């Protein structure tokens, strides 16, 4: 567990939010009186195991054996930090206790996505390897007032866009600093009102995923306080740039050496084995990186979001990029996930696939030099239904994730898909009602 930089014992919390992250990356939980902080920190807060396994709307998933066959029993929620977090985006007198779920015997819940990542990290420990992970999250800010014209110009690296939201960014950085979330550079991205804030690398991938989850809550909370709506949709506007969750990682051995570094720009054999594992598992794990109906609007050719199962050196059209820079910092960037994906599951899928490639000694194809969209490389699933089916039957998927989590995720995604297929949009009526 990590320490929050501020001392919550000196704060007068009138309420505390106990936050569990579900399979969709959505915060679920309870609000308790501030006087019950010891109860939350002591791990005695209870929630149903099924709270981790609801659909995107928070509804029970049809076929979920946890509910009727097993009686919808409770699990114990243990804190992931050893102090109550200050959460000024929720109000000056509200604290936050992020938790993960265990059963009465202390065994991890197989439906809790944080445990899925923890299980993958056990595999690295067995090989005396430690992932060093950083994430980059893109998001859109939309003024809540129709007359608000703070975003007059769009464009990547626009200082004008950054200046328009400077007070909001100041609050985000202050909250991150107070809670040991290593927020780094902020830039404006290609879309009007689109931004990216990088989170610095961690040598604990669980903490890196925690950072990403908490960062999204901070951005959404403060955005509303400053008159904006923040969203992490993969494609918030059909004509604008999509938003991604890019993952950078390297691996340290027991002596603290980066095993991707062999003193050259191309990197080591271990790096190439990891790349091969990422490419092999990518089509089967695409549902993790693109988990929603909207996700597949982002994965389109010539869009700065990858569509080909490909890799390359300093090539942002490829799904896997090997950035330049100092040899000692040689790393892999995985560019497939949208900002709508669950960071715990994304890191589990990325790191789990890399470990598969390393342990099997797999060799990747030749790196792509040039436009990856124009190659004959195999493609990621282009629609949600195909991604669900490929995830469900993929043998590599089930070597990374437990059968219990895979089956539950598929049930939840099929229920979500069915709901979208039933919905008749106004555009469909406009197109067809009077014409056919």
């Amino acid at each position: 567990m990590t320490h929050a930089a501020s001392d919550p014992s000196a704060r007068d919390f009138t309420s505390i939010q106990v936050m569990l992250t579900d399979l969709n990356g959505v915060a679920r939980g309870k609000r308790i009186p501030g006087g019950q902080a010891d109860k939350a920190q002591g791990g005695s807060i209870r929630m149903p195991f099924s709270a981790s396994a609801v659909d995107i709307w928070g509804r029970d998933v049809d076929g979920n054996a946890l509910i009727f066959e097993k009686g919808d029993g409770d699990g114990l929620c243990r804190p992931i930090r050893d102090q109550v977090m200050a959460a000024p985006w929720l109000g000056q007198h509200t604290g936050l206790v992020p938790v993960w779920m265990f059963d009465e015997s202390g065994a991890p819940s197989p439906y809790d996505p944080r445990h899925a990542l923890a299980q993958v990290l056990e595999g690295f420990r067995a090989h005396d390897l430690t992932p060093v992970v950083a994430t980059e999250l893109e998001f859109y800010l939309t003024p809540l007032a129709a007359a608000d014209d703070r975003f007059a110009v769009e464009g990547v690296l626009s200082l004008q866009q950054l200046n328009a939201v400077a007070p909001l960014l100041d609050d985000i950085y202050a909250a991150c600093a107070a809670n040991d979330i290593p927020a780094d550079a902020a830039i404006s991205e290609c879309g009007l009102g689109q931004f990216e804030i990088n989170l610095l690398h961690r040598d604990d991938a669980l903490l890196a995923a925690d950072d990403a989850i908490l960062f999204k809550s901070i951005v959404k909370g403060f955005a509303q306080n400053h008159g904006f709506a923040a969203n992490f949709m993969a494609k918030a506007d059909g004509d604008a740039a999509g938003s991604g969750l890019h993952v950078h990682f390297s691996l340290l051995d027991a002596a603290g050496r980066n095993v991707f570094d062999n003193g050259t720009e191309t990197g080591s054999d271990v790096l190439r084995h990891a790349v091969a594992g990422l490419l092999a598992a990518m089509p089967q794990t695409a549902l993790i990186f693109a988990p929603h109906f909207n996700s597949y609007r982002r994965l389109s050719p010539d869009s700065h979001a990858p569509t080909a199962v490909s890799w390359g050196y300093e090539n942002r059209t490829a799904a896997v990029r090997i950035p330049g820079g100092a040899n000692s910092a040689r790393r892999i960037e995985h560019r497939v996930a949208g900002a709508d994906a669950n960071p715990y599951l994304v890191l589990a899928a990325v790191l789990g696939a890399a470990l598969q490639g390393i342990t099997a000694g797999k060799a990747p194809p030749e790196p792509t030099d040039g436009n990856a969209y124009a190659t004959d490389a195999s493609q990621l699933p282009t629609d949600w239904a195909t991604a669900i089916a490929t995830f469900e039957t993929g043998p590599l998927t089930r070597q990374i994730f437990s059968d219990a989590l895979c089956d539950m995720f598929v049930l939840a995604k099929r229920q979500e898909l069915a709901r979208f297929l039933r919905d008749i949009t106004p555009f469909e009526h406009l197109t067809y009602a009077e014409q056919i």
Side-chain angles (χ1 to χ4, degrees):
M1 292 188 291
T2 62
H3 296 262
S6 58
D7 179 11
S9 64
R11 292 179 172 272
D12 181 22
F13 290 128
T14 58
S15 65
I16 293 172
Q17 287 193 6
V18 181
M19 185 184 84
L20 177 74
T21 302
D22 74 9
L23 287 176
N24 286 298
V26 175
R28 309 286 176 191
K30 296 182 177 182
R31 185 184 180 99
I32 62 175
Q36 295 185 17
D38 289 345
K39 182 178 179 182
Q41 286 300 107
S44 59
I45 295 290
R46 303 172 72 90
M47 294 187 209
F49 284 110
S50 60
S52 295
V54 291
D55 70 10
I56 190 65
W57 299 281
R59 303 177 309 185
D60 290 340
V61 173
D62 291 343
N64 184 348
L66 289 172
I67 297 173
F68 293 109
E69 295 177 30
K70 296 186 178 180
D72 203 16
D74 282 345
L76 292 174
C77 297
R78 295 181 180 174
I80 65 174
R81 292 181 169 225
D82 57 10
Q83 291 181 331
V84 179
M85 291 178 60
W89 62 97
L90 299 174
Q92 290 301 318
H93 298 288
T94 300
L96 181 68
V97 177
V99 297
W100 55 340
M101 189 171 286
F102 298 78
D103 70 14
E104 298 282 357
S105 71
S109 166
Y111 310 103
D112 186 318
R114 195 173 193 266
H115 285 302
L117 176 55
Q119 184 61 43
V120 168
L121 297 178
E122 287 294 331
F124 281 93
R125 277 189 282 273
H127 291 84
D128 291 323
L129 293 171
T130 301
V132 178
V133 180
T135 60
E136 300 171 349
L137 272 161
E138 296 170 329
F139 57 93
Y140 275 88
L141 295 173
T142 304
L144 293 174
D148 191 329
D149 61 354
R150 272 178 279 186
F151 300 141
V153 179
E154 67 180 357
V156 68
L157 299 176
S158 166
L159 290 177
Q160 184 173 340
Q161 279 213 76
L162 288 174
N163 293 338
V165 294
L168 167 57
L169 293 177
D170 288 344
D171 277 348
I172 291 171
Y173 277 112
C176 287
N179 288 294
D180 275 343
I181 298 171
D184 191 32
I187 65 170
S188 74
E189 274 291 354
C190 298
L192 189 64
Q194 187 186 32
F195 299 88
E196 176 185 280
I197 295 182
N198 299 338
L199 302 180
L200 293 174
H201 63 272
R202 293 271 205 184
D203 61 4
D204 184 332
L206 276 177
L207 291 184
D210 295 340
D211 291 340
I213 288 286
L214 293 168
F215 174 79
K216 292 173 79 169
S217 293
I218 291 170
V219 170
K220 288 183 178 182
F222 275 129
Q224 190 170 31
N225 296 345
H226 285 267
F228 293 96
N231 81 73
F232 290 84
M233 291 175 65
K235 193 75 167 177
D237 184 320
D239 296 321
S243 294
L245 165 57
H246 298 162
V247 175
H248 292 250
F249 74 98
S250 58
L251 294 176
L252 304 182
D253 64 16
R257 294 184 292 258
N258 180 4
V259 299
F260 289 167
D261 172 28
N262 69 346
T264 72
E265 293 180 355
T266 57
S268 67
D269 288 341
V270 178
L271 180 146
R272 286 185 286 277
H273 297 327
V275 168
L278 293 172
L279 299 183
M282 194 175 289
Q284 297 178 31
T285 55
L287 183 64
I288 295 293
F289 309 129
H292 304 294
F293 175 79
N294 179 258
S295 305
Y296 295 85
R297 300 188 185 279
R298 170 177 168 268
L299 299 176
S300 59
D302 304 319
S303 66
H304 296 289
T307 58
V309 180
S310 58
W311 74 292
Y313 292 92
E314 279 292 13
N315 190 342
R316 285 186 168 87
T317 70
V320 174
R321 167 179 170 255
I322 311 303
N327 293 332
S328 60
R330 191 64 58 227
R331 67 191 188 276
I332 292 172
E333 180 188 13
H334 195 284
R335 298 176 54 81
V336 181
D340 58 340
N342 183 334
Y344 293 119
L345 297 183
V346 168
L347 292 191
V350 169
L351 297 176
L355 185 59
Q356 287 178 349
I358 292 168
T359 56
K362 293 180 179 178
E366 289 299 308
T368 298
D369 183 14
N371 186 358
Y373 297 111
T375 68
D376 59 359
S378 59
Q379 300 292 298
L380 290 164
T382 57
D383 68 89
W384 199 11
T386 299
I388 294 171
T390 306
F391 179 87
E392 182 179 27
T393 58
L396 298 180
T397 298
R398 291 177 183 267
Q399 292 174 26
I400 299 171
F401 299 102
S402 69
D403 285 340
L405 186 142
C406 287
D407 293 342
M408 189 65 70
F409 198 60
V410 166
L411 284 174
K413 293 296 108 180
R414 285 218 167 102
Q415 181 162 306
E416 189 178 340
L417 170 60
R419 177 65 185 83
F420 273 94
L421 291 177
R422 289 198 305 271
D423 188 52
I424 307 300
T425 67
F427 184 63
E428 285 183 74
H429 277 287
L430 179 66
T431 302
Y432 300 122
E434 298 299 326
Q435 302 297 327
I436 56 176

